[in-house]
Amino acid sequence: MSLPTTPTLPIRRIVQGDNPREYFDPADMADLEEGIRAVGCVLQPIVVRPVPDTDHFAIVVGERRWRAAKNVLGDDYEMPVVFKEVSAAAAEAMAVVENHHRAPMSVAEEARAAQRQLHRNHGDKAETAAGMGWKPDLLARRLALLACTPKVLDALTKHQIQVGHAELLSGVPIEMQERVLGGLLAHKVPVAVLKAQLGQYARRLSDAIFDTAACAACPHNSTRQAGLFADSIGEGFCQHPTHFDELTQQAVDAKASALCVEYPVVHVVRPGDGFAPLHVSAEGELGVGAAQYAGCQGCKSFGCAVSAMPGSYGSVTASLCFDPACNSQKVAQWRVAVRQAAREASAQPTSSGEESRSAQRRGTSTGRPADKRAQRVAPSRPAHQTPQRVVEYRIKQWRKWLAAALMAQPQRSHRVLIALTLGGRGADLRAAQFEKALAKIAGPGSCSHVDLQEPLRRADAVAADQVDRLVQAAIASAAFGVDTRNLELLLGFLGVDEARCFRWDAAFLDLFTMSELESLATEGGLKAALGSRFKAARAGKKDAFIQALLNVEGFAYQGTVPAVMRYPRHSPDGASAPGEDGEACSVAEGAASLASAEAQASPATA
């Protein structure tokens, strides 16, 4: 009988994938090659995935077999394969699991792979551990190793030291790790001996970011002991690491708190959290362009990191993005724009043609006119994620604008009432807001809501010339009850003009961090209007910066509306996507009917 045939691919069509394994032990590889040479083929298929836009396939699992077969059997050998359609992240997770259970990778390689997976999962350790087939405590141990220097991790990968050595060294300051490593390699120091030598680890006082004035008289100060005893660990150490760490953490937290005025996101980097900074900038290999970078500064995912790591306590890494997926998209868009601009520049007979072509190949900026052309090619409107506090503020303002519009447009507000009724949204009318209006129009009074007896009495006491106004107020109260999607629809239905409603003021600007204010000023034209004064204003404190932004002669504070305060325009047929609250748009059907009715209405009734 005929047996099913395993698919094969010529080795020349198979390329390396993103293998977390970095070191291939020569002895193990020699054994594997000898086995393949003896059998004359590879018995176990490797797993591959397609490389987009090519006829090649990238290895997901099985790079050791591929390397050995390539050396023994050559590029024309038909390699048995299993095809998988998986993402890069899933491919790496599969490789980690396979290597962990087949020919284990170095724990240093596992640690680096875990860091990459954690970054892709936005810091979710539970999701990362599950995706890699690990228990959470194994993930925590691997991430903790990332506090080691590259040389220590390299020694671990090459089996020059044991995991125990690396785990002990991960708690030693960066500047000491490689010095200790040299001794370990030279003298073959066992883990137990290293542990005994390190003992109660002392902290170097010169690394402190807190005031060490009180340390001079502290009994835990090694300088005091060095003056008294022949044997000591030397001068300038704190021998009470717990207390040292507590003071350090307080200083780091205070620094991070102060930076919250500057950035939307301030991340404190602690040992073992697997943090990998993602820099965002206008130029460079991972640039996003000047216009988009200005937008990124106003994004809720823009920020900085403050180190709580030994050897770099309190150091700040600025201009970071905390949304890897969004950042990758923006970098890709800018690279496309730069390449297109470079192609245009290379078509022109200029001396910089070769430089432009080189930039095209690299996808980077040259700093020349091609980049200016790239700005025109790039998306015209920079995108970013609006901070939640600003979202809440603008919705509150939109409700006020809608209420005012409903009070000012009797005929259209009556149609809104019809739409609310048709849409089953009568519950959106708000008694609290209406009672405030009632008190202003008809005078104060109390009203029980147990039944209609008291409300009827009070309604019957309203003067005849006040009834129409109160009906308007009742309809206007719905502005404070409708969901976000319907709020946007009603704003559009009444033709509310943001330029007539919005005005730049201190309450609005105070919502933003300094980086967000810079982005907002750039977008709104305030930065250009301030000109050379902007840099000095930006360097000051937030209150002074806001005052400078609000005192620009000739700037239209009433009439210039930032994008963050504009409501989206929806068609009355409800075809657009649901609003931020995700609720269904039941007013849309009523609004569509009203739009149709208005189209047929005479000027006298419309």
Side-chain angles (χ1 to χ4, degrees):
M1 79 181 179
S2 61
L3 297 175
T5 303
T6 301
T8 64
L9 281 172
I11 282 184
R12 65 177 176 274
R13 291 183 58 193
I14 303 173
V15 298
Q16 288 178 277
D18 296 325
N19 193 349
R21 183 193 296 277
E22 300 170 359
Y23 178 72
F24 295 83
D25 186 270
D28 290 345
M29 291 301 296
D31 288 343
L32 182 57
E33 289 179 13
E34 187 60 31
I36 292 175
R37 190 175 288 110
V39 177
C41 65
V42 175
L43 300 177
Q44 184 70 29
I46 68 173
V47 180
V48 297
R49 67 188 185 100
V51 177
D53 303 322
T54 73
D55 63 347
H56 288 74
F57 291 79
I59 299 170
V60 176
V61 170
E63 185 173 340
R64 293 172 72 253
R65 279 165 280 163
W66 173 77
R67 282 173 175 254
K70 186 179 179 71
N71 287 341
V72 174
L73 303 174
D75 288 339
D76 293 328
Y77 174 67
E78 291 288 329
M79 190 80 174
V81 298
V82 174
F83 297 103
K84 290 284 187 183
E85 287 276 0
V86 293
S87 66
E92 185 173 37
M94 290 174 63
V96 171
V97 173
E98 171 76 4
N99 284 317
H100 186 73
H101 294 288
R102 183 181 290 272
M105 299 185 298
S106 150
V107 293
E109 292 168 327
E110 291 184 348
R112 294 188 181 103
Q115 182 186 49
R116 291 191 293 270
Q117 291 293 325
L118 184 67
H119 193 50
R120 291 187 179 108
N121 292 330
H122 301 280
D124 189 327
K125 292 185 179 180
E127 183 178 351
T128 300
M132 299 179 74
W134 289 0
K135 292 183 178 179
D137 60 341
L138 175 59
L139 175 65
R141 291 199 302 273
R142 292 296 182 263
L143 290 176
L145 287 176
L146 296 175
C148 293
T149 68
K151 286 189 176 181
V152 171
L153 293 177
D154 185 60
L156 180 60
T157 297
K158 294 178 179 177
H159 309 303
Q160 295 172 330
I161 60 173
Q162 300 175 32
V163 177
H165 291 117
E167 289 177 341
L168 288 169
L169 289 175
S170 67
V172 175
I174 298 297
E175 68 272 14
M176 292 181 61
Q177 286 189 26
E178 292 176 12
R179 185 164 67 249
V180 175
L181 176 65
L184 294 179
L185 298 178
H187 303 291
K188 306 296 182 184
V189 178
V191 173
V193 174
L194 175 63
K195 183 176 181 179
Q197 289 174 342
L198 292 177
Q200 290 287 331
Y201 177 63
R203 301 289 195 264
R204 190 185 298 274
L205 286 172
S206 60
D207 290 340
I209 58 172
F210 53 84
D211 186 359
T212 59
C215 298
C218 178
H220 301 293
N221 190 334
S222 67
T223 301
R224 183 171 179 269
Q225 288 190 332
L228 295 172
F229 309 113
D231 295 322
S232 72
I233 63 172
E235 297 185 355
F237 288 91
C238 171
Q239 298 178 103
H240 192 326
T242 302
H243 184 56
F244 182 96
D245 290 346
E246 288 174 354
L247 294 176
T248 298
Q249 192 59 58
Q250 291 174 10
V252 168
D253 289 343
K255 193 164 194 175
S257 179
L259 286 167
C260 287
V261 177
E262 179 72 25
Y263 299 102
V265 181
V266 179
H267 178 79
V268 177
V269 184
R270 308 180 195 280
D273 69 359
F275 177 73
L278 179 60
H279 293 271
V280 59
S281 62
E283 306 298 339
E285 285 288 337
L286 298 178
V288 296
Q292 178 57 54
Y293 180 67
C296 290
Q297 290 176 294
C299 181
K300 69 179 183 181
S301 297
F302 182 79
C304 70
V306 183
S307 176
M309 301 285 285
S312 60
Y313 294 123
S315 65
V316 178
T317 306
S319 194
L320 301 181
C321 175
F322 290 85
D323 188 339
C326 179
N327 178 264
S328 297
Q329 183 183 48
K330 299 300 183 294
V331 170
Q333 289 173 347
W334 178 240
R335 283 184 173 178
V336 169
V338 170
R339 288 185 185 125
Q340 183 174 339
R343 283 194 293 270
E344 294 175 0
S346 65
Q348 301 174 8
T350 63
S351 59
S352 61
E354 180 56 36
E355 184 180 4
S356 297
R357 284 189 290 273
S358 176
Q360 176 185 345
R361 290 191 296 272
R362 297 192 309 268
T364 59
S365 169
T366 65
R368 299 204 180 264
D371 293 320
K372 296 181 179 179
R373 285 188 288 270
Q375 292 286 359
R376 297 195 296 269
V377 175
S380 59
R381 184 172 181 178
H384 64 251
Q385 303 168 55
T386 305
Q388 184 59 31
R389 62 189 179 280
V390 180
V391 171
E392 293 171 357
Y393 172 86
R394 76 181 178 197
I395 289 176
K396 184 177 180 180
Q397 298 305 306
W398 288 353
R399 294 189 187 282
K400 292 179 180 178
W401 299 352
L402 177 59
L406 288 168
M407 290 296 292
Q409 301 181 47
Q411 294 295 330
R412 293 183 73 76
S413 68
H414 291 167
R415 296 175 187 276
V416 169
L417 180 59
I418 295 171
L420 289 168
T421 306
L422 286 174
R425 308 294 297 199
D428 287 340
L429 299 175
R430 288 292 182 262
Q433 278 75 20
F434 175 69
E435 285 185 12
K436 292 178 182 177
L438 177 61
K440 288 182 180 180
I441 297 171
S446 61
C447 188
S448 170
H449 293 172
V450 177
D451 55 31
L452 286 178
Q453 182 174 349
E454 181 61 23
L456 282 171
R457 183 201 63 76
R458 193 169 180 200
D460 194 46
V462 170
D465 60 352
Q466 296 173 336
V467 171
D468 289 344
R469 189 68 174 159
L470 288 173
V471 170
Q472 290 294 108
I475 300 170
S477 72
F480 302 94
V482 293
D483 56 62
T484 304
R485 163 72 172 181
N486 287 325
L487 174 62
E488 294 166 356
L489 278 166
L490 291 174
L491 286 166
F493 182 73
L494 273 76
V496 174
D497 181 3
E498 300 98 332
R500 293 179 176 273
C501 302
F502 175 78
R503 182 178 179 84
W504 297 69
D505 59 21
F508 171 66
L509 295 181
D510 195 49
L511 294 169
F512 300 89
T513 63
M514 294 289 276
S515 70
E516 291 167 341
L517 281 173
E518 181 172 354
S519 175
L520 189 70
T522 302
E523 177 225 325
L526 276 168
K527 183 175 182 179
L530 269 171
S532 59
R533 293 175 294 156
F534 181 83
K535 185 176 182 180
R538 174 67 173 84
K541 293 186 177 180
K542 182 177 177 180
D543 288 346
F545 187 33
I546 289 175
Q547 287 304 311
L549 292 176
L550 291 176
N551 286 280
V552 179
E553 187 175 353
F555 184 78
Y557 291 102
Q558 178 81 49
T560 302
V561 183
V564 73
M565 290 302 296
R566 293 191 177 277
Y567 62 87
R569 268 57 176 177
H570 297 282
S571 60
D573 60 6
S576 300
E580 292 177 27
D581 56 9
E583 295 187 35
C585 176
S586 54
V587 171
E589 292 82 358
S593 299
L594 290 177
S596 177
E598 281 207 316
Q600 303 173 22
S602 66
T605 60

